[in-house]
Amino acid sequence: MYIVQIASECAPVIKAGGLGDVVYGLSREVEKKGHCVEVILPKYDCMRYDQIWGLHEAYRDLWVPWNGGVINCTVHCGWVHGQLCFFIEPHCEENFFNRGTYYGALDDHMRFAFFSKAALEFLLKANKRPDVIHCHDWQTGLVPVLLYEIYKFQGMDTQRICYTIHNFKHQGIAGTNILWATGLNRPEYYFHPDRLQDNFNPFGLNFMKGGIVYSNAFNTVSPHHAWEAHNTDVGCGLGGTIHQHQGKFSGILNGISYDMWNPAADTFIPQHYSPETFEKKSVNKQALRDRLLLRDEDKPLVCYVGRLDNQKGVHLVHHAIYHALNRGAQFVLLGSATETSIHSWFWHEKNHLNDNPDCHLELSFNEELAHLIYAGADIVVVPSNYEPCGLTQVIALRYGTVPVVRGVGGLVNTVFDYDYDEARSPNERNGFVFYQQDNYALETALDRALDLYYQVPEKFQQLAQQGMAYDYSWNKPADQYLALYEFIRHP
Protein backbone atom coordinates (compact mmCIF):
# COMPACT_ATOMS: atom_id res chain seq x y z
CA MET A 1 0.00 0.00 0.00
CA TYR A 2 1.02 3.59 -0.60
CA ILE A 3 0.12 5.86 2.34
CA VAL A 4 0.61 9.61 2.70
CA GLN A 5 0.45 11.17 6.15
CA ILE A 6 -0.55 14.85 6.20
CA ALA A 7 0.13 16.45 9.58
CA SER A 8 1.31 19.59 11.33
CA GLU A 9 4.00 17.69 13.29
CA CYS A 10 6.46 14.82 12.93
CA ALA A 11 9.00 14.12 15.66
CA PRO A 12 11.78 14.89 16.13
CA VAL A 13 11.89 17.57 13.41
CA ILE A 14 8.56 19.17 14.42
CA LYS A 15 7.27 18.32 17.88
CA ALA A 16 4.95 20.27 20.15
CA GLY A 17 3.26 17.25 21.75
CA GLY A 18 2.35 13.61 21.31
CA LEU A 19 1.05 14.12 17.76
CA GLY A 20 4.60 14.34 16.39
CA ASP A 21 5.60 11.08 18.09
CA VAL A 22 2.57 9.30 16.64
CA VAL A 23 3.12 10.48 13.06
CA TYR A 24 6.78 9.42 13.13
CA GLY A 25 6.34 6.16 15.07
CA LEU A 26 3.37 4.93 13.04
CA SER A 27 5.00 5.84 9.71
CA ARG A 28 8.20 3.97 10.53
CA GLU A 29 6.38 0.86 11.75
CA VAL A 30 4.08 0.73 8.69
CA GLU A 31 7.15 0.99 6.45
CA LYS A 32 8.82 -1.85 8.38
CA LYS A 33 5.80 -3.96 7.50
CA GLY A 34 6.51 -3.49 3.80
CA HIS A 35 4.41 -0.47 2.80
CA CYS A 36 5.39 2.88 1.30
CA VAL A 37 4.80 5.91 3.56
CA GLU A 38 5.46 9.59 2.85
CA VAL A 39 4.78 12.49 5.20
CA ILE A 40 3.72 16.00 4.13
CA LEU A 41 4.45 18.81 6.60
CA PRO A 42 4.63 22.61 6.71
CA LYS A 43 8.16 24.02 6.38
CA TYR A 44 8.34 26.00 9.60
CA ASP A 45 11.24 28.38 10.14
CA CYS A 46 11.67 27.08 13.70
CA MET A 47 11.70 23.33 13.06
CA ARG A 48 14.77 21.19 13.86
CA TYR A 49 16.66 21.35 10.56
CA ASP A 50 19.50 19.37 12.18
CA GLN A 51 17.14 16.36 12.28
CA ILE A 52 16.68 16.30 8.48
CA TRP A 53 19.11 14.53 6.17
CA GLY A 54 19.53 15.59 2.54
CA LEU A 55 17.02 18.45 2.45
CA HIS A 56 16.56 19.59 -1.16
CA GLU A 57 14.00 21.08 -3.52
CA ALA A 58 11.63 18.39 -4.78
CA TYR A 59 9.01 20.47 -6.58
CA ARG A 60 9.46 24.07 -7.62
CA ASP A 61 6.64 26.46 -8.56
CA LEU A 62 3.71 24.69 -7.01
CA TRP A 63 0.93 27.20 -7.69
CA VAL A 64 -1.80 26.80 -5.08
CA PRO A 65 -5.20 28.42 -5.81
CA TRP A 66 -5.98 30.68 -2.85
CA ASN A 67 -8.32 33.54 -2.11
CA GLY A 68 -9.20 34.17 -5.75
CA GLY A 69 -5.55 34.14 -6.82
CA VAL A 70 -2.60 31.78 -6.43
CA ILE A 71 0.31 31.38 -4.02
CA ASN A 72 3.62 30.05 -5.27
CA CYS A 73 5.19 27.32 -3.12
CA THR A 74 8.38 25.32 -3.09
CA VAL A 75 8.18 21.73 -1.83
CA HIS A 76 11.34 20.47 -0.16
CA CYS A 77 12.19 16.85 0.50
CA GLY A 78 14.40 15.15 3.09
CA TRP A 79 14.71 12.18 5.43
CA VAL A 80 13.86 12.48 9.11
CA HIS A 81 15.62 9.56 10.81
CA GLY A 82 14.90 7.39 7.78
CA GLN A 83 11.36 8.68 7.11
CA LEU A 84 10.79 10.45 3.77
CA CYS A 85 9.16 13.84 4.41
CA PHE A 86 8.01 16.68 2.15
CA PHE A 87 7.95 20.23 3.49
CA ILE A 88 5.70 22.86 1.89
CA GLU A 89 7.07 26.41 1.82
CA PRO A 90 4.65 29.13 0.63
CA HIS A 91 6.11 32.39 -0.74
CA CYS A 92 3.57 35.01 0.29
CA GLU A 93 3.13 38.14 2.36
CA GLU A 94 1.34 36.19 5.09
CA ASN A 95 4.50 34.18 5.84
CA PHE A 96 2.26 31.35 7.04
CA PHE A 97 5.04 29.23 8.56
CA ASN A 98 7.72 31.82 9.33
CA ARG A 99 6.38 32.79 12.72
CA GLY A 100 8.98 31.37 15.10
CA THR A 101 6.35 29.02 16.52
CA TYR A 102 4.21 26.12 15.33
CA TYR A 103 0.90 27.19 16.83
CA GLY A 104 -0.69 30.13 18.59
CA ALA A 105 -1.09 32.74 15.82
CA LEU A 106 -4.42 34.53 15.48
CA ASP A 107 -4.74 33.25 11.90
CA ASP A 108 -3.95 29.59 12.66
CA HIS A 109 -7.16 28.53 10.92
CA MET A 110 -5.98 30.25 7.71
CA ARG A 111 -2.45 28.88 8.01
CA PHE A 112 -3.57 25.27 8.27
CA ALA A 113 -6.40 25.61 5.77
CA PHE A 114 -3.74 26.75 3.31
CA PHE A 115 -1.48 23.86 4.28
CA SER A 116 -4.32 21.37 3.71
CA LYS A 117 -5.05 22.87 0.29
CA ALA A 118 -1.35 22.96 -0.67
CA ALA A 119 -0.79 19.34 0.40
CA LEU A 120 -3.57 18.11 -1.90
CA GLU A 121 -2.42 20.39 -4.70
CA PHE A 122 1.06 18.88 -4.38
CA LEU A 123 -0.32 15.33 -4.59
CA LEU A 124 -2.35 16.32 -7.65
CA LYS A 125 0.41 18.15 -9.54
CA ALA A 126 3.19 15.72 -8.63
CA ASN A 127 0.96 12.88 -9.85
CA LYS A 128 1.06 11.13 -6.47
CA ARG A 129 -1.96 8.89 -5.97
CA PRO A 130 -1.76 7.23 -2.55
CA ASP A 131 -4.17 4.46 -1.63
CA VAL A 132 -4.82 6.16 1.69
CA ILE A 133 -4.32 9.70 2.95
CA HIS A 134 -4.01 9.73 6.75
CA CYS A 135 -4.51 13.15 8.33
CA HIS A 136 -4.47 14.30 11.94
CA ASP A 137 -6.29 16.69 14.28
CA TRP A 138 -8.07 19.93 13.41
CA GLN A 139 -5.12 21.33 11.47
CA THR A 140 -5.83 18.90 8.61
CA GLY A 141 -9.58 18.50 9.14
CA LEU A 142 -10.24 20.24 5.83
CA VAL A 143 -8.22 17.69 3.83
CA PRO A 144 -11.12 15.23 3.44
CA VAL A 145 -13.51 18.12 2.72
CA LEU A 146 -11.28 19.50 -0.05
CA LEU A 147 -10.62 16.03 -1.47
CA TYR A 148 -14.27 15.08 -1.81
CA GLU A 149 -15.61 18.49 -2.82
CA ILE A 150 -12.83 19.62 -5.21
CA TYR A 151 -9.94 17.26 -5.90
CA LYS A 152 -12.11 14.21 -6.46
CA PHE A 153 -13.22 15.86 -9.70
CA GLN A 154 -9.66 16.66 -10.81
CA GLY A 155 -8.34 13.10 -10.97
CA MET A 156 -8.13 12.08 -7.28
CA ASP A 157 -11.31 10.02 -7.07
CA THR A 158 -9.79 6.77 -5.76
CA GLN A 159 -7.99 8.20 -2.70
CA ARG A 160 -9.41 7.25 0.69
CA ILE A 161 -9.07 9.16 3.95
CA CYS A 162 -8.35 8.02 7.50
CA TYR A 163 -8.68 10.87 10.03
CA THR A 164 -7.20 10.60 13.52
CA ILE A 165 -8.22 12.87 16.39
CA HIS A 166 -5.59 13.21 19.11
CA ASN A 167 -7.34 15.92 21.15
CA PHE A 168 -11.02 16.87 20.93
CA LYS A 169 -10.45 20.10 22.86
CA HIS A 170 -9.00 22.00 19.89
CA GLN A 171 -11.32 21.78 16.89
CA GLY A 172 -10.46 24.72 14.60
CA ILE A 173 -13.32 27.19 14.31
CA ALA A 174 -13.45 29.64 11.38
CA GLY A 175 -15.87 31.82 9.44
CA THR A 176 -17.01 32.21 5.84
CA ASN A 177 -13.65 33.65 4.76
CA ILE A 178 -12.17 30.16 4.91
CA LEU A 179 -14.59 29.01 2.21
CA TRP A 180 -13.64 31.80 -0.19
CA ALA A 181 -9.92 31.34 0.49
CA THR A 182 -9.93 27.57 -0.16
CA GLY A 183 -12.26 27.72 -3.15
CA LEU A 184 -14.97 25.71 -1.42
CA ASN A 185 -17.28 28.76 -1.63
CA ARG A 186 -21.04 28.01 -1.19
CA PRO A 187 -21.56 29.05 2.47
CA GLU A 188 -25.22 28.01 2.40
CA TYR A 189 -24.05 24.46 1.58
CA TYR A 190 -21.31 24.15 4.23
CA PHE A 191 -23.16 26.01 7.00
CA HIS A 192 -25.33 22.97 7.52
CA PRO A 193 -25.56 20.76 10.65
CA ASP A 194 -24.70 17.69 8.56
CA ARG A 195 -21.54 19.25 7.11
CA LEU A 196 -19.19 21.84 8.67
CA GLN A 197 -21.46 24.02 10.81
CA ASP A 198 -20.26 23.99 14.43
CA ASN A 199 -22.72 22.23 16.74
CA PHE A 200 -22.92 25.19 19.12
CA ASN A 201 -21.98 28.21 17.01
CA PRO A 202 -24.22 28.56 13.93
CA PHE A 203 -21.81 31.17 12.52
CA GLY A 204 -18.73 28.96 12.87
CA LEU A 205 -17.26 26.29 10.61
CA ASN A 206 -15.64 23.41 12.50
CA PHE A 207 -12.53 21.89 10.86
CA MET A 208 -12.60 18.76 13.04
CA LYS A 209 -16.28 18.17 12.32
CA GLY A 210 -15.43 18.41 8.62
CA GLY A 211 -12.81 15.71 9.08
CA ILE A 212 -15.33 13.46 10.82
CA VAL A 213 -18.12 13.99 8.28
CA TYR A 214 -16.02 13.65 5.11
CA SER A 215 -13.45 10.98 6.06
CA ASN A 216 -13.92 7.32 5.14
CA ALA A 217 -12.93 6.33 8.68
CA PHE A 218 -12.00 8.32 11.76
CA ASN A 219 -10.56 7.28 15.07
CA THR A 220 -9.07 8.50 18.29
CA VAL A 221 -6.01 7.22 20.10
CA SER A 222 -7.39 4.66 22.57
CA PRO A 223 -10.52 2.49 22.76
CA HIS A 224 -11.69 3.95 26.08
CA HIS A 225 -11.22 7.54 24.90
CA ALA A 226 -13.35 6.68 21.86
CA TRP A 227 -16.13 5.61 24.22
CA GLU A 228 -15.67 8.79 26.31
CA ALA A 229 -15.78 11.05 23.25
CA HIS A 230 -18.96 9.37 22.05
CA ASN A 231 -20.79 9.23 25.38
CA THR A 232 -19.47 12.00 27.67
CA ASP A 233 -18.50 15.67 27.53
CA VAL A 234 -14.93 14.64 26.64
CA GLY A 235 -16.08 14.93 23.00
CA CYS A 236 -16.24 18.72 23.58
CA GLY A 237 -19.53 19.13 21.73
CA LEU A 238 -18.87 16.62 18.94
CA GLY A 239 -20.65 13.69 20.61
CA GLY A 240 -23.71 14.08 18.40
CA THR A 241 -21.61 14.14 15.23
CA ILE A 242 -19.69 11.08 16.41
CA HIS A 243 -22.97 9.30 17.07
CA GLN A 244 -24.20 10.17 13.59
CA HIS A 245 -21.04 8.63 12.08
CA GLN A 246 -20.36 5.95 14.70
CA GLY A 247 -20.21 3.22 12.05
CA LYS A 248 -16.83 4.51 10.88
CA PHE A 249 -15.45 5.46 14.35
CA SER A 250 -12.94 3.46 16.40
CA GLY A 251 -10.21 3.76 19.01
CA ILE A 252 -6.67 2.55 18.28
CA LEU A 253 -4.16 2.73 21.11
CA ASN A 254 -0.98 4.69 20.39
CA GLY A 255 2.35 2.94 20.64
CA ILE A 256 5.81 4.20 21.54
CA SER A 257 9.06 3.73 19.71
CA TYR A 258 10.89 0.83 21.33
CA ASP A 259 14.06 2.00 19.59
CA MET A 260 13.92 5.31 21.46
CA TRP A 261 12.52 3.96 24.74
CA ASN A 262 14.52 0.89 25.66
CA PRO A 263 16.26 0.53 29.03
CA ALA A 264 18.46 -2.23 27.59
CA ALA A 265 20.03 0.17 25.06
CA ASP A 266 19.14 3.74 26.14
CA THR A 267 22.09 6.07 25.48
CA PHE A 268 20.78 8.62 28.02
CA ILE A 269 21.09 6.37 31.08
CA PRO A 270 24.29 5.18 32.77
CA GLN A 271 23.19 1.58 33.40
CA HIS A 272 21.28 -0.62 30.98
CA TYR A 273 18.91 -3.24 32.39
CA SER A 274 16.07 -5.58 31.45
CA PRO A 275 13.40 -7.57 33.32
CA GLU A 276 16.01 -10.30 33.85
CA THR A 277 18.60 -7.84 35.24
CA PHE A 278 16.14 -5.60 37.08
CA GLU A 279 18.44 -5.09 40.06
CA LYS A 280 20.68 -2.90 37.84
CA LYS A 281 17.90 -0.28 37.69
CA SER A 282 19.08 0.93 41.12
CA VAL A 283 22.27 2.29 39.53
CA ASN A 284 20.12 4.75 37.56
CA LYS A 285 18.27 5.72 40.74
CA GLN A 286 21.59 6.58 42.32
CA ALA A 287 22.65 8.54 39.23
CA LEU A 288 19.39 10.51 39.30
CA ARG A 289 19.91 11.37 42.97
CA ASP A 290 23.47 12.47 42.27
CA ARG A 291 22.43 14.66 39.34
CA LEU A 292 19.60 16.38 41.25
CA LEU A 293 21.46 16.54 44.60
CA LEU A 294 18.90 14.38 46.40
CA ARG A 295 19.57 12.67 49.72
CA ASP A 296 21.11 9.20 49.35
CA GLU A 297 18.80 7.05 51.47
CA ASP A 298 16.92 3.82 50.89
CA LYS A 299 13.46 5.18 50.14
CA PRO A 300 11.03 5.13 47.20
CA LEU A 301 11.37 7.75 44.49
CA VAL A 302 8.12 9.06 42.99
CA CYS A 303 8.08 11.15 39.79
CA TYR A 304 5.92 13.17 37.44
CA VAL A 305 6.97 13.79 33.82
CA GLY A 306 4.78 15.85 31.51
CA ARG A 307 3.06 19.17 30.88
CA LEU A 308 1.74 21.13 33.83
CA ASP A 309 -1.80 22.04 32.81
CA ASN A 310 -5.38 21.37 33.75
CA GLN A 311 -5.73 18.41 31.38
CA LYS A 312 -2.97 16.65 33.31
CA GLY A 313 -4.68 17.13 36.70
CA VAL A 314 -2.18 19.68 37.90
CA HIS A 315 -3.91 20.10 41.30
CA LEU A 316 -3.34 16.39 41.95
CA VAL A 317 0.27 16.60 40.77
CA HIS A 318 0.78 19.32 43.37
CA HIS A 319 -0.88 17.23 46.06
CA ALA A 320 1.17 14.16 45.11
CA ILE A 321 4.41 16.02 45.83
CA TYR A 322 3.52 16.73 49.44
CA HIS A 323 1.78 13.43 50.07
CA ALA A 324 4.81 11.48 48.81
CA LEU A 325 7.14 13.54 51.01
CA ASN A 326 4.86 13.02 54.04
CA ARG A 327 5.04 9.26 53.41
CA GLY A 328 8.85 9.34 53.52
CA ALA A 329 9.36 9.14 49.75
CA GLN A 330 11.34 11.38 47.42
CA PHE A 331 9.71 13.30 44.56
CA VAL A 332 11.08 14.49 41.20
CA LEU A 333 9.06 16.58 38.76
CA LEU A 334 9.99 17.41 35.16
CA GLY A 335 7.61 19.56 33.15
CA SER A 336 6.76 23.01 31.89
CA ALA A 337 3.53 24.90 32.49
CA THR A 338 1.24 25.98 29.66
CA GLU A 339 -0.36 28.87 31.60
CA THR A 340 1.25 31.77 33.44
CA SER A 341 -0.73 31.13 36.63
CA ILE A 342 0.34 27.48 36.81
CA HIS A 343 3.94 28.44 36.03
CA SER A 344 3.93 30.96 38.90
CA TRP A 345 2.32 28.44 41.24
CA PHE A 346 4.99 25.81 40.64
CA TRP A 347 7.84 28.31 40.79
CA HIS A 348 6.54 29.23 44.22
CA GLU A 349 6.60 25.53 45.19
CA LYS A 350 10.08 25.11 43.72
CA ASN A 351 11.41 27.95 45.87
CA HIS A 352 9.58 26.64 48.93
CA LEU A 353 11.03 23.14 48.49
CA ASN A 354 14.45 24.26 47.30
CA ASP A 355 16.27 23.16 50.46
CA ASN A 356 14.37 19.87 50.81
CA PRO A 357 16.90 17.06 50.19
CA ASP A 358 14.13 14.72 49.04
CA CYS A 359 12.54 16.84 46.34
CA HIS A 360 13.49 18.43 43.01
CA LEU A 361 11.20 20.33 40.65
CA GLU A 362 12.60 20.91 37.14
CA LEU A 363 10.25 23.42 35.47
CA SER A 364 11.30 22.89 31.87
CA PHE A 365 11.58 19.95 29.53
CA ASN A 366 14.79 18.04 28.99
CA GLU A 367 14.73 14.84 26.90
CA GLU A 368 17.91 13.39 28.43
CA LEU A 369 16.71 14.00 31.99
CA ALA A 370 13.31 12.47 31.15
CA HIS A 371 15.01 9.20 30.21
CA LEU A 372 17.02 9.20 33.44
CA ILE A 373 13.91 9.89 35.55
CA TYR A 374 11.98 7.01 33.96
CA ALA A 375 14.97 4.74 34.55
CA GLY A 376 15.63 5.94 38.11
CA ALA A 377 12.18 6.37 39.64
CA ASP A 378 10.16 3.64 41.35
CA ILE A 379 6.69 5.14 40.85
CA VAL A 380 5.19 7.62 38.36
CA VAL A 381 1.95 9.53 38.99
CA VAL A 382 -0.38 10.30 36.04
CA PRO A 383 -3.51 11.91 37.56
CA SER A 384 -5.01 13.33 34.33
CA ASN A 385 -8.45 14.92 34.14
CA TYR A 386 -8.66 13.40 30.67
CA GLU A 387 -6.07 11.54 28.64
CA PRO A 388 -6.72 10.50 25.01
CA CYS A 389 -3.92 7.93 25.17
CA GLY A 390 -1.04 8.95 27.40
CA LEU A 391 2.58 8.07 26.69
CA THR A 392 3.99 8.70 30.18
CA GLN A 393 2.53 5.55 31.74
CA VAL A 394 3.51 3.42 28.74
CA ILE A 395 7.12 4.63 28.84
CA ALA A 396 7.19 4.13 32.62
CA LEU A 397 6.04 0.52 32.24
CA ARG A 398 8.79 -0.08 29.71
CA TYR A 399 11.34 1.14 32.31
CA GLY A 400 9.92 -0.85 35.23
CA THR A 401 8.52 2.26 36.93
CA VAL A 402 5.14 1.47 38.47
CA PRO A 403 2.34 3.84 37.32
CA VAL A 404 -0.31 5.33 39.60
CA VAL A 405 -2.96 6.66 37.22
CA ARG A 406 -6.47 8.06 37.09
CA GLY A 407 -8.86 5.71 35.27
CA VAL A 408 -9.58 7.78 32.15
CA GLY A 409 -8.90 7.46 28.41
CA GLY A 410 -5.92 5.41 27.35
CA LEU A 411 -4.79 5.03 30.98
CA VAL A 412 -7.63 2.50 31.43
CA ASN A 413 -6.42 0.55 28.38
CA THR A 414 -2.81 0.27 29.56
CA VAL A 415 -2.70 0.15 33.39
CA PHE A 416 -4.36 -2.68 35.34
CA ASP A 417 -4.80 -2.33 39.07
CA TYR A 418 -2.68 -4.52 41.35
CA ASP A 419 -5.46 -5.07 43.88
CA TYR A 420 -8.74 -4.73 42.04
CA ASP A 421 -8.49 -5.60 38.33
CA GLU A 422 -10.56 -8.78 38.28
CA ALA A 423 -10.40 -9.04 34.49
CA ARG A 424 -6.72 -9.95 34.75
CA SER A 425 -4.83 -12.51 36.76
CA PRO A 426 -2.46 -11.18 39.44
CA ASN A 427 0.58 -11.82 37.25
CA GLU A 428 -0.90 -9.62 34.48
CA ARG A 429 -1.44 -6.53 36.63
CA ASN A 430 0.99 -3.64 36.33
CA GLY A 431 0.03 -0.58 38.42
CA PHE A 432 -2.52 1.27 40.54
CA VAL A 433 -5.69 3.04 39.39
CA PHE A 434 -8.02 5.59 41.02
CA TYR A 435 -11.11 7.20 39.52
CA GLN A 436 -12.23 10.33 41.38
CA GLN A 437 -10.59 13.73 40.93
CA ASP A 438 -10.04 14.56 44.61
CA ASN A 439 -6.96 14.39 46.81
CA TYR A 440 -8.23 11.42 48.80
CA ALA A 441 -8.61 9.26 45.69
CA LEU A 442 -5.01 9.97 44.68
CA GLU A 443 -3.80 9.29 48.21
CA THR A 444 -5.46 5.87 48.40
CA ALA A 445 -3.81 4.70 45.17
CA LEU A 446 -0.40 6.21 45.94
CA ASP A 447 -0.54 4.78 49.46
CA ARG A 448 -1.21 1.29 48.08
CA ALA A 449 1.88 1.63 45.87
CA LEU A 450 4.07 2.95 48.69
CA ASP A 451 2.82 0.34 51.16
CA LEU A 452 3.72 -2.43 48.75
CA TYR A 453 7.18 -0.88 48.27
CA TYR A 454 7.79 -0.57 52.02
CA GLN A 455 6.14 -3.75 53.26
CA VAL A 456 6.60 -6.35 50.50
CA PRO A 457 9.48 -5.08 48.34
CA GLU A 458 9.86 -8.35 46.44
CA LYS A 459 6.22 -8.11 45.28
CA PHE A 460 6.70 -4.48 44.30
CA GLN A 461 9.66 -5.53 42.16
CA GLN A 462 7.62 -8.34 40.64
CA LEU A 463 4.87 -5.84 39.74
CA ALA A 464 7.45 -3.57 38.06
CA GLN A 465 8.81 -6.52 36.07
CA GLN A 466 5.28 -7.49 35.01
CA GLY A 467 4.88 -3.98 33.61
CA MET A 468 8.06 -4.37 31.57
CA ALA A 469 6.63 -7.52 29.98
CA TYR A 470 3.84 -5.62 28.22
CA ASP A 471 4.29 -4.78 24.53
CA TYR A 472 3.16 -1.21 23.89
CA SER A 473 5.33 -0.74 20.82
CA TRP A 474 3.90 0.35 17.46
CA ASN A 475 3.73 -3.25 16.24
CA LYS A 476 0.09 -4.00 17.13
CA PRO A 477 -1.31 -0.46 16.50
CA ALA A 478 0.33 -0.45 13.05
CA ASP A 479 -1.45 -3.70 12.21
CA GLN A 480 -4.75 -2.17 13.34
CA TYR A 481 -4.20 0.93 11.19
CA LEU A 482 -3.27 -1.25 8.21
CA ALA A 483 -6.47 -3.23 8.68
CA LEU A 484 -8.39 0.06 8.76
CA TYR A 485 -6.63 1.26 5.59
CA GLU A 486 -7.54 -1.99 3.84
CA PHE A 487 -11.13 -1.72 5.00
CA ILE A 488 -11.66 1.76 3.57
CA ARG A 489 -9.94 0.77 0.34
CA HIS A 490 -12.26 -2.24 -0.05
CA PRO A 491 -15.33 -1.60 2.11
Side-chain angles (χ1 to χ4, degrees):
M1 246 187 302
Y2 172 27
I3 299 116
V4 168
Q5 303 258 8
I6 302 178
S8 56
E9 297 179 33
C10 179
V13 66
I14 305 164
K15 180 179 173 178
L19 169 61
D21 292 315
V22 172
V23 172
Y24 177 79
L26 176 60
S27 298
R28 296 302 293 147
E29 190 67 31
V30 168
E31 282 215 326
K32 281 183 192 173
K33 292 178 181 291
H35 303 273
C36 175
V37 183
E38 296 173 352
V39 183
I40 300 179
L41 303 156
K43 186 175 181 288
Y44 302 99
D45 57 349
C46 55
M47 63 188 189
R48 291 283 304 273
Y49 285 87
D50 61 320
Q51 301 294 326
I52 311 171
W53 180 82
L55 188 65
H56 62 281
E57 285 186 8
Y59 195 103
R60 191 178 292 178
D61 292 332
L62 175 71
W63 295 96
V64 180
W66 187 255
N67 233 354
V70 288
I71 290 178
N72 178 245
C73 298
T74 303
V75 182
H76 303 262
C77 175
W79 284 263
V80 175
H81 292 251
Q83 180 57 55
L84 182 62
C85 296
F86 293 94
F87 301 90
I88 295 177
E89 179 184 22
H91 308 293
C92 59
E93 289 179 4
E94 292 88 349
N95 271 326
F96 284 128
F97 305 117
N98 296 327
R99 306 287 183 86
T101 184
Y102 302 139
Y103 310 124
L106 292 175
D107 63 342
D108 272 3
H109 59 291
M110 275 292 182
R111 297 170 65 219
F112 292 106
F114 177 81
F115 169 63
S116 298
K117 175 91 175 175
L120 286 171
E121 194 70 23
F122 171 56
L123 293 178
L124 176 70
K125 296 288 176 59
N127 204 28
K128 291 178 176 288
R129 298 294 183 269
D131 298 297
V132 173
I133 297 170
H134 190 166
C135 45
H136 302 262
D137 267 353
W138 77 263
Q139 290 88 352
T140 55
L142 286 186
V143 169
V145 184
L146 291 163
L147 178 66
Y148 288 108
E149 294 287 3
I150 296 178
Y151 288 88
K152 173 183 175 181
F153 304 103
Q154 298 181 5
M156 295 182 67
D157 56 339
T158 61
Q159 279 57 58
R160 297 292 176 260
I161 297 236
C162 175
Y163 180 54
T164 298
I165 299 169
H166 302 258
N167 192 334
F168 283 93
K169 185 178 179 183
H170 306 288
Q171 297 178 8
I173 309 296
T176 315
N177 57 346
I178 216 79
L179 298 176
W180 305 123
T182 54
L184 288 166
N185 305 326
R186 296 190 295 162
E188 69 289 345
Y189 177 76
Y190 292 104
F191 275 98
H192 189 281
D194 291 339
R195 295 189 183 92
L196 268 64
Q197 186 181 55
D198 185 72
N199 292 347
F200 294 94
N201 177 3
F203 304 104
L205 293 169
N206 187 314
F207 285 37
M208 186 172 284
K209 182 176 177 179
I212 292 171
V213 171
Y214 280 85
S215 61
N216 300 102
F218 71 104
N219 72 292
T220 190
V221 291
S222 70
H224 190 68
H225 191 62
W227 180 89
E228 291 173 332
H230 188 177
N231 297 290
T232 75
D233 60 2
V234 166
C236 299
L238 285 172
T241 305
I242 293 169
H243 186 73
Q244 196 175 348
H245 297 273
Q246 60 183 309
K248 60 178 185 179
F249 183 47
S250 62
I252 298 177
L253 192 69
N254 283 342
I256 59 169
S257 168
Y258 273 24
D259 295 331
M260 182 182 297
W261 299 105
N262 180 6
D266 193 328
T267 56
F268 291 135
I269 64 175
Q271 178 62 60
H272 294 154
Y273 62 100
S274 66
E276 295 72 36
T277 58
F278 187 84
E279 68 283 353
K280 293 182 179 179
K281 179 176 164 73
S282 61
V283 177
N284 297 303
K285 187 175 183 178
Q286 184 63 54
L288 180 60
R289 283 176 170 152
D290 291 346
R291 176 164 175 173
L292 301 181
L293 305 178
L294 295 176
R295 179 173 15 213
D296 184 15
E297 277 189 13
D298 182 18
K299 51 174 65 182
L301 201 157
V302 183
C303 74
Y304 174 81
V305 181
R307 292 195 318 276
L308 295 170
D309 63 22
N310 290 320
Q311 181 205 327
K312 299 295 183 182
V314 70
H315 65 294
L316 292 178
V317 174
H318 176 263
H319 187 71
I321 297 169
Y322 287 95
H323 188 69
L325 294 174
N326 288 338
R327 286 295 318 271
Q330 296 179 319
F331 200 100
V332 171
L333 179 146
L334 175 65
S336 54
T338 55
E339 296 175 23
T340 306
S341 58
I342 296 174
H343 182 72
S344 301
W345 181 21
F346 275 81
W347 265 103
H348 173 80
E349 299 303 327
K350 180 179 173 65
N351 291 330
H352 177 67
L353 293 163
N354 199 42
D355 296 327
N356 189 315
D358 291 321
C359 187
H360 182 89
L361 309 185
E362 189 74 25
L363 302 182
S364 61
F365 195 75
N366 178 314
E367 187 81 17
E368 180 189 0
L369 181 57
H371 284 248
L372 183 57
I373 292 172
Y374 284 121
D378 300 298
I379 297 166
V380 62
V381 291
V382 192
S384 304
N385 283 329
Y386 70 95
E387 193 63 71
C389 175
L391 299 179
T392 301
Q393 83 283 5
V394 175
I395 296 168
L397 287 167
R398 175 78 163 147
Y399 281 73
T401 300
V402 174
V404 174
V405 308
R406 186 158 172 262
V408 293
L411 301 171
V412 168
N413 296 126
T414 50
V415 180
F416 313 113
D417 193 90
Y418 176 74
D419 296 302
Y420 302 120
D421 196 319
E422 295 179 357
R424 283 171 175 76
S425 64
N427 63 359
E428 293 177 314
R429 299 171 189 176
N430 59 11
F432 298 88
V433 184
F434 64 99
Y435 290 90
Q436 282 70 37
Q437 291 178 279
D438 56 80
N439 291 346
Y440 178 71
L442 169 75
E443 288 176 13
T444 56
L446 185 52
D447 280 345
R448 288 189 292 123
L450 291 170
D451 288 346
L452 190 66
Y453 181 96
Y454 284 126
Q455 295 166 16
V456 201
E458 65 277 8
K459 287 196 174 180
F460 184 90
Q461 178 176 323
Q462 182 186 345
L463 179 64
Q465 288 169 297
Q466 286 172 197
M468 294 182 79
Y470 273 85
D471 179 7
Y472 289 128
S473 69
W474 273 108
N475 181 38
K476 185 179 175 184
D479 285 341
Q480 291 174 314
Y481 274 109
L482 284 167
L484 189 59
Y485 297 161
E486 285 289 358
F487 176 73
I488 60 179
R489 283 177 68 208
H490 310 289

